[in-house]
Amino acid sequence: MTNKILFIANWKMFGDLDSVKSIKSVINLSKKKKYKKAKIIYCPPYTLLDKFVIKTRKTKLCVGAQNCHQVINTGPYTGAISTTMIKKIGAKYVIIGHSENRSNGETNNQINKKIHSAISNNLNVIFCIGENLFEKKHNRTNNILKKQIYLGLKQIKKIDKIIFAYEPVWSIGTGKILTNKELTKQIIIIKNIIKNLFKKQKTKIIYGGSVNNRNINNLKQINEIDGFLIGGASQNSKKFIDIIKKTIN
Ligand code: PEP
């Protein structure tokens, strides 16, 4: 693993005003010298973004949104949030291309527009890619990943603000994970796809899918990854802290 280890908490459609308080213990942990290596980013639902920004002010923690609209500023898009709005509220990251949105019809073309919008607003992008079970069973994983990367990053010249999150769809929330050997091989393939496009630019790649405080000791052995995107287990600060502590010990 590289110098900084990313721990990105995707709270999905969970959390209320009370749960904001629960991150205090994570803030306290981040102040300890030993955990300086941890780069902790919270992605709560839109309704809590401002509360998280306020709560994490003057701490090392950062905040991100879970999605955005592709139109950069404002417009007649009921229920949508633009990257300008995300930026103005004080968040620094945005998750784009999560499989839970792809499965609702989000296309690679839309994802590409969202990424352009985020970058032009100087936001960091957590760009999710991953194959579903059907694609995996039919040996289409590498083609799918290539397509997601090529189309998602069309006309993108620099990847310094992009974190690639490899999230096999069949692994999210299921408890099923590739073996370390398989995962390492897959990450190397993804790195090569990126290298082909972006030559010598530095790549940040994290893994997401059923990461928890029981499998982290095993997953952290994989040198090729720079951290984790954590859904379910990040909503409980005790479990989230356990994951961070076990990774950095
Ligand atoms: C996710 O939704 O990004 C995710 C990784 O979820 P989980 O950790 O619950 O599998």
Side-chain angles (χ1 to χ4, degrees), residues 10 12 98 100 167 171-173 208-211 229-232:
N10 174 14
K12 311 189 186 212
H98 194 284
E100 283 155 13
E167 296 209 304
S171 187
I172 295 177
S210 295
V211 176
L229 179 51
I230 306 155

Side-chain angles (χ1 to χ4, degrees), residues 11-62:
W11 273 22
K12 311 189 186 212
M13 200 172 71
F14 291 94
D16 53 22
L17 287 177
D18 269 349
S19 43
V20 182
K21 293 182 202 139
S22 74
I23 73 163
K24 181 84 183 101
S25 50
V26 179
I27 293 174
N28 290 341
L29 181 89
S30 73
K31 288 179 184 156
K32 295 188 181 153
K33 203 171 161 211
K34 183 169 179 189
Y35 300 104
K36 283 229 162 75
K37 269 180 90 170
K39 174 94 195 149
I40 303 165
I41 301 156
Y42 268 102
C43 300
Y46 291 140
T47 49
L48 298 178
L49 273 179
D50 64 334
K51 297 285 180 298
F52 269 74
V53 168
I54 292 164
K55 185 95 183 162
T56 57
R57 204 165 273 158
K58 294 192 182 137
T59 76
K60 294 256 159 51
L61 274 65
C62 286

Side-chain angles (χ1 to χ4, degrees), residues 9 41-45 49 62-66 86 91-95 126:
I41 301 156
Y42 268 102
C43 300
L49 273 179
C62 286
V63 178
Q66 293 175 17
I86 293 166
K92 295 200 164 60
Y93 291 78
V94 56
I95 297 175
I126 300 150

Side-chain angles (χ1 to χ4, degrees), residues 215-230:
N215 56 31
I216 192 67
N217 275 334
N218 186 43
L219 285 167
K220 74 168 189 187
Q221 311 293 336
I222 303 174
N223 284 322
E224 279 73 14
I225 49 183
D226 301 302
F228 305 96
L229 179 51
I230 306 155

Side-chain angles (χ1 to χ4, degrees), residues 75-135:
Y77 306 104
T78 305
I81 307 278
S82 72
T83 57
T84 303
M85 291 164 162
I86 293 166
K87 173 89 180 170
K88 280 191 176 166
I89 215 159
K92 295 200 164 60
Y93 291 78
V94 56
I95 297 175
I96 297 179
H98 194 284
S99 62
E100 283 155 13
N101 295 322
R102 288 182 190 263
S103 67
N104 277 333
E106 187 181 59
T107 64
N108 285 316
N109 184 35
Q110 271 172 324
I111 289 167
N112 177 248
K113 288 182 178 153
K114 290 180 181 193
I115 294 177
H116 277 280
S117 171
I119 302 258
S120 59
N121 258 320
N122 214 22
L123 288 171
N124 296 284
V125 175
I126 300 150
F127 174 35
C128 299
I129 53 169
E131 79 287 359
N132 64 31
L133 195 56
F134 179 87
E135 291 156 350

